[in-house]
Structures are given as C-alpha cells and as structure tokens.
Amino acid sequence: MTSTTTAAVPPVAVTGDPARTPKKRGKGGIASAYPTWFYLPAAALYIVFFAVPTFASFYFSLTRWSLFDIEFIGFANFVQFFSEAQLLQGFLNTFAYGFMTSALKVILGLALALLLTSQIIARGYLRSVVFFPVLVSTIGIGITFKVLLDPFGGLVNESLAAIGITGPGWLTDPQWALFSVALIDVWKGVGIACLIYIAGIVAIPTEYFEAAKVDGASAWKSFRSITLPLVRPATATVVILSLIGGLRSFELIWATTRGGPGFTSDVIASVIYKQYQAGFYGLSTAGNVVLFLVVTAIMIPISFLLNRKQVDA
Amino acid sequence: MKATRVRATVVGTVAVLLSIVVFLVPFAFIFLTASKTAAESSSLAFSWPQEWAFWDNLVAVLSVRDGIVIRAFVNSTILTVGSIALMVVFAAMVGYVLQRKTTRWNPVVNFFVLAGLIVPPAVVPTIWVLQGLELFKTIPGMILINATFGLSFCILLFRAFVSTIPRELDEAAIIDGAGSLRLFFRVVLPLLKPVVITVIVVQAVAVFNDFTGPLYFLPGDENATVQLTLYNFQSQTLSQWNLLFMDILLITIPPLVMYIFFNRQIVAGMTSGAVKG
C-alpha cells in the first residue's frame, strides 16, 4: 500500500498541485497522506485486550464460572454482591475512599501550590520533595507505612507518645483502617495535584493581582476572587484524575491492610482480587462490572459538570 | 522589602522542616532499616544502626532464592522496554492521524480513547483472552497488556503535541515526494522527540512500578517482576525486615535516577497530559 502511494506522489509534485491526488477524501487530497490504517495496530491491541474482555465481562458476570465449567445463573452474582455484608461494605468503602482522597488532594494540593508559588526560600527543593513519592512503588510505600504506623513500636505512635498522645491502631483498628490508607494515598499522590495547581496558578496573569493590590484587596480577598475562580480547570483535572485513581484503588490497600481488619477496608477492587483468588471467577467479574458502573456513573456527570463550568468561566 | 525577605526565610524554613518530617523521614527509615542487621531491624525503631550491614544485606537480597531479585530486575526491564516501544510507535501513529485528519470517525476514536482512560480493565475476562491466545503467564502477553492499558494516555499526549507541528511541513514533504510512511517516520516522528521522551519517562515509571498487572497476568516465580518480589518477600521473610527494606530501596533507585535526569519531562507529561484528559 505504501509503495503505491509513494509512487503516486512524484507526478503530482511535478504538476505542482498537491491538492489533487488520486484518492480524495476528507479535507482535500492531502488527507491521503494520513492513512487510516495508522489506527490499525493500536486498534488491534485495544480491541483484543481491552474491548473484548470488557464486553465479555457483561456475559461472564451472569455466570457461575470456575476453573472447570461455566453455568449461566442470571443476576445471582449481583444479588450476592449487594446482599452479603462484606461485599456491600467494599462497595460503600469505594465511594468513601474515592471521595476522601479526592477532596484531600484538592485541598492540600491547592494549599501546597499556593505555598510553593509564593515568595519563599527553597522552593525548588520543596517541589521536588513533595513530588517524589508519586514516582515510588506503591507496594514499597505501603510496606514502609505499615511499619511506621505499627501500633506497637511504630515511629508515628512512638512520636505521638513522646508528646503525650496515645495514637490509634492506624491500620489495625476497624474504625481507622480505611481512613489511614486514604491518608497514605494522599501522602503519595498530593504531589501531582500540587503540580497541576502550580501550572494553573502560574498561568494567571500577574496584572490581576497587582490591580487587586492597588484596589486594596487583602491576600484572602484576592485568593477568593482571582485565584480560586481561575484555577477551576486545574481543579477539574485534579478531581477527575484523583477520582479515577481513587475509585479503582487496589495496590495500596492490598499492601497495607489487605482489606482488613475483617472487611473494614475492602474496596471493590480488592473484592475482585479476593474472589478471583478464591476461584469465584463469575463473582469476581460481577465485581468488575459493578466497578465499571460505579466509575462511569460518577465520572460522566462530574466531568460534564466541571467542563461546562470551565467553558462558562 | 526587608520584611518580605524575613517572611520568605521564616515561612520557607518552617516548610523545609515540615517537609523533612513528613516526606524525608519515611525514606530515611527505608535506608536505615536496610542498613541494619536482622536482629536490630526487627525492633522497627527509627534509629541509627549500631552495626552497619548495608553491603551484607545487599548481597543477601541479591542472592536470595538463586538471585530471584536480579532475574526480576531483568524481567521488569524487558517488560518496560517492550511495552514502551509498542506504546510510543502505535500511540504516535494514532495521535498523528487523529489530529491531522478530520473524518466522521474522529468522535468515535476520541470516545474510545477516553473510555480506555476511565474504564477499569475486566480482570478475569482478560485472563480468559490471554489463555485463548496462549499468552497467559508469558512476558510477551504482559507486554501487550501493558501497551494496551497505556495507549490512551499516550495518544492524548501525542495528539496535543502534533497540533503544534505546522501542516506546511507535511505539505512540503509531500511535494518533495515523501509517501505517508516516510512522512510520518522521517519527518513527523523526529519532531515529536520532546513528547516521545516524556511518554517514555512517564510510562517507564508506570510500568516499572505496576503491581496489579503482573499479579493477575504474570503470576509465578519464573517471570517474577520487581514489585512481585517485594510482595512475596513481605509474606515469606517476615523476620528479615532489613532484607525487605533493602529490596524497597533497590526498587526505589530506578525511578529516583529517572527523576534526577528527566525531572522536567516527567513534570510536563504528568501535568499537560492531565490537563488535556
């Protein structure tokens, strides 16, 4: 196919009229220089390893599926998913985890970005240090914090004890476990939120702040009326990115608590893995479908809302 | 003027101190524990090692179970290089045509690119497909999976960057007799070099650090990746915290090196790709 195109071009070049190549599609003849088959390699991978499994999951989620046989059982997996307390807990925890990490990343990311764009010393060092955890292995960080947060002799509780506070069993107390994992997630991921906000803040013309200053606006007032509305695109990005990551989160939870104690820090992604390990492939795939529905049901309205406001502003 | 400089110093110093406590202590803890003897590391205290065993631990980790950590590093390197090669070429081709040519298929392609970014992969059906192709538990299978899951992000980056290359260049190349393949590989792709570097660096870190993928699609010791060795160490050698943390330290070094050399590209990739997404 290539050789024919190459051969066809020189005569065209001689006549000096590139707009009149034999194949005429789209925007004039030059379109044939952008062959549609360039989509093919990527499309083949996407279809075979992503689209087919995704569509197949809708069928498999309706089956009782083990290593040996497969049996159609209708919606029984979904009924089980929402009637068994431990699975339902994972479903609810997914929302809690996603929204908690997302909100904290927005607040802390913006606060850090304001600090790191203001006139202070050692900005370069601070930016590097805040961002570096983003690049470190999640499993490594999970194991490290599991040790640091150990209720007996872990650094965090030892330090708290030194100033007279009895720290909770961060990852071992059912009331704290999910919250603690979310905090570790924020520690690891806040760097990227911060960077996105820095990019947004730097893009605001300084004249706005100067004009506000001339008009006698306080720092808080110019933050409320200038910075906050103008970093809305950055906020949209941070919210969307951290929600996609947070709702699908698995690695950190698995490295720190494995969903425990009991099932108190399970999320859908960890339920999927547990059911897969136990050989309940149908139930595991039903979990996948539930996760798919949760993520799309949350992401579509949110990205619509955020993007629309972005256009208005 | 002087007041602001004092303020800059005070606020900056407080921030630096806080950053040491919050961000550097955990990494110092990893390094110190990796340097202790097995007995001392079991106390899990944040303390200076009484006896430095850094090299002993390094040798011990590398030789444990016939050097599985070294094999894991080799495997992870092969996975990373293979996946990225596919991702860069395939995604660049899509991003380029998607930006240059407007057809009624563009909205469809854009939709699927976004779907690839948002939709969580279906685990067991993917294994089912891999088994059907006899690629389950193989490195090539894992490479194809990694490449597929990374495509969307790369396509968005490439599409955004191609729009900064003037179309006149394409036209000039066509008039000079370049075919579509030569136009892309000889004219456009070299101009994409900055974004290619960004994609390589960001995805290298992502693939190298990926744990869920190998956990599902590449189980078993013969093809262990570095993240899996860490996970297996955690369950097997509970008494040897020093070795576990030495492994964490080893695994942290490649991203650290990447960050030191490609700081700007990483930051650009993670923020710009995000904004376009």
Side-chain angles (χ1 to χ4, degrees):
Chain A
M1 185 186 261
T2 334
S3 57
T4 58
T5 332
T6 326
V9 171
V12 175
V14 171
T15 59
D17 193 357
R20 228 168 281 278
T21 41
K23 274 188 256 168
K24 219 174 170 189
R25 255 185 274 153
K27 275 182 165 185
I30 200 169
S32 67
Y34 311 118
T36 308
W37 69 263
F38 268 31
Y39 289 145
L40 276 185
L45 279 185
Y46 188 94
I47 291 170
V48 173
F49 295 108
F50 187 72
V52 166
T54 302
F55 283 109
S57 70
F58 290 105
Y59 168 71
F60 286 131
S61 67
L62 303 175
T63 63
R64 183 178 289 125
W65 185 18
S66 70
L67 267 179
F68 309 104
D69 62 320
I70 189 161
E71 182 195 347
F72 189 84
I73 54 168
F75 285 94
N77 284 326
F78 292 97
V79 172
Q80 189 182 355
F81 204 97
F82 289 103
S83 57
E84 244 176 73
Q86 62 201 56
L87 300 180
L88 189 63
Q89 171 100 59
F91 177 77
L92 298 175
N93 282 348
T94 305
F95 291 93
Y97 189 89
F99 287 117
M100 197 153 53
T101 52
S102 186
L104 283 174
K105 281 176 189 171
V106 167
I107 296 167
L108 291 176
L110 181 56
L112 277 172
L114 286 173
L115 179 70
L116 296 183
T117 49
S118 66
Q119 296 296 322
I120 57 165
I121 57 162
R123 276 191 302 185
Y125 153 80
L126 286 169
R127 283 187 196 185
S128 317
V129 122
V130 168
F131 183 68
F132 183 61
V134 171
L135 301 176
V136 179
S137 145
T138 311
I139 300 296
I141 287 191
I143 295 172
T144 307
F145 271 92
K146 203 173 156 185
V147 172
L148 290 174
L149 295 174
D150 193 282
F152 309 104
L155 177 62
V156 172
N157 277 4
E158 292 280 290
S159 314
L160 287 177
I163 53 169
I165 303 172
T166 313
W170 298 96
L171 294 165
T172 49
D173 183 333
Q175 291 202 303
W176 280 87
L178 189 71
F179 182 66
S180 305
V181 182
L183 284 186
I184 303 173
D185 194 324
V186 172
W187 180 87
K188 179 171 160 43
V190 76
I192 197 155
C194 175
L195 275 185
I196 294 169
Y197 271 122
I198 287 178
I201 292 173
V202 170
I204 301 174
T206 45
E207 287 85 358
Y208 294 1
F209 295 108
E210 282 158 16
K213 209 169 190 180
V214 171
D215 289 349
S218 64
W220 169 248
K221 184 86 183 149
S222 67
F223 167 73
R224 272 300 312 269
S225 316
I226 301 173
T227 313
L228 207 52
L230 289 178
V231 294
R232 182 164 260 159
T235 307
T237 309
V238 172
V239 168
I240 290 172
L241 269 190
S242 51
L243 264 183
I244 293 178
L247 294 170
R248 290 161 56 161
S249 185
F250 168 71
E251 300 192 357
L252 192 62
I253 290 172
W254 198 248
T256 48
T257 66
R258 307 211 173 171
F263 304 95
T264 46
S265 63
D266 257 328
V267 292
I268 299 178
S270 66
V271 168
I272 292 172
Y273 183 65
K274 283 180 177 175
Q275 300 304 331
Y276 162 72
Q277 260 190 325
F280 299 124
Y281 299 148
L283 189 57
S284 169
T285 308
N288 246 135
V289 171
V290 171
L291 183 59
F292 167 83
L293 295 176
V294 165
V295 173
T296 43
I298 291 178
M299 292 321 296
I300 289 175
I302 281 189
S303 51
F304 182 74
L305 203 72
L306 289 171
N307 286 329
R308 195 184 53 182
K309 281 184 180 164
Q310 194 178 317
V311 174
D312 289 347
Chain B
M1 206 60 200
K2 200 171 173 222
T4 47
R5 203 180 312 152
V6 170
R7 191 176 157 274
T9 318
V10 171
V11 176
T13 312
V14 172
V16 168
L17 289 177
L18 267 178
S19 78
I20 291 174
V21 173
V22 176
F23 287 103
L24 291 190
V25 162
F27 290 108
F29 181 80
I30 295 175
F31 177 75
L32 290 176
T33 311
S35 309
K36 291 175 180 175
T37 58
E40 202 190 346
S41 70
S42 63
S43 79
L44 302 181
F46 181 67
S47 59
W48 203 251
Q50 288 165 337
E51 189 187 332
W52 284 80
F54 190 84
W55 289 110
D56 294 346
N57 291 342
L58 183 61
V59 173
V61 162
L62 294 181
S63 57
V64 83
R65 294 182 48 219
D66 305 326
I68 192 169
V69 172
I70 296 175
R71 267 181 288 137
F73 262 96
V74 173
N75 286 339
S76 283
T77 310
I78 296 173
L79 275 181
T80 310
V81 173
S83 318
I84 287 172
L86 290 182
M87 257 186 256
V88 166
V89 177
F90 291 0
M93 287 162 80
V94 173
Y96 162 70
V97 176
L98 194 59
Q99 199 279 326
R100 279 294 195 253
K101 190 160 77 172
T102 321
T103 68
R104 60 206 150 99
W105 292 105
N106 281 31
V108 181
V109 177
N110 284 327
F111 170 81
F112 281 117
V113 169
L114 283 185
L117 220 50
I118 293 176
V119 173
V123 177
V124 193
T126 309
I127 294 176
W128 170 73
V129 168
L130 283 172
Q131 276 174 333
L133 299 169
E134 299 192 351
L135 287 171
F136 185 48
K137 295 191 189 183
T138 65
I139 299 247
M142 193 66 233
I143 288 179
L144 293 173
I145 293 284
N146 278 333
T148 310
F149 293 172
L151 272 178
S152 288
F153 175 79
C154 301
I155 290 174
L156 287 176
L157 273 187
F158 278 118
R159 192 186 62 183
F161 199 85
V162 168
S163 65
T164 66
I165 298 175
R167 273 169 190 271
E168 287 76 16
L169 269 175
D170 303 8
E171 285 160 17
I174 292 168
I175 291 172
D176 285 349
S180 51
L181 268 187
R182 192 185 296 188
L183 169 61
F184 176 69
F185 283 101
R186 290 295 181 80
V187 178
V188 177
L189 200 53
L191 291 171
L192 292 177
K193 198 172 140 200
V195 75
V196 167
I197 293 174
T198 302
V199 165
I200 290 177
V201 176
V202 172
Q203 292 295 339
V205 173
V207 173
F208 187 83
N209 280 340
D210 183 31
F211 166 71
T212 318
L215 180 71
Y216 279 122
F217 308 121
L218 199 60
D221 268 355
E222 66 269 36
N223 290 323
T225 67
V226 286
Q227 308 299 326
L228 282 185
T229 61
L230 200 53
Y231 177 68
N232 293 337
F233 266 32
Q234 190 198 5
S235 32
Q236 286 159 7
T237 51
L238 265 183
S239 54
Q240 292 175 295
W241 290 101
N242 52 343
L243 298 191
L244 183 62
F245 278 87
M246 178 56 85
D247 199 13
I248 297 180
L249 190 63
L250 285 179
I251 287 172
T252 310
I253 289 171
L256 181 62
V257 172
M258 282 287 210
Y259 189 43
I260 290 170
F261 285 104
F262 297 104
N263 183 341
R264 190 167 296 167
Q265 283 85 357
I266 292 185
V267 170
M270 291 202 166
T271 51
S272 78
V275 172
K276 298 294 185 291

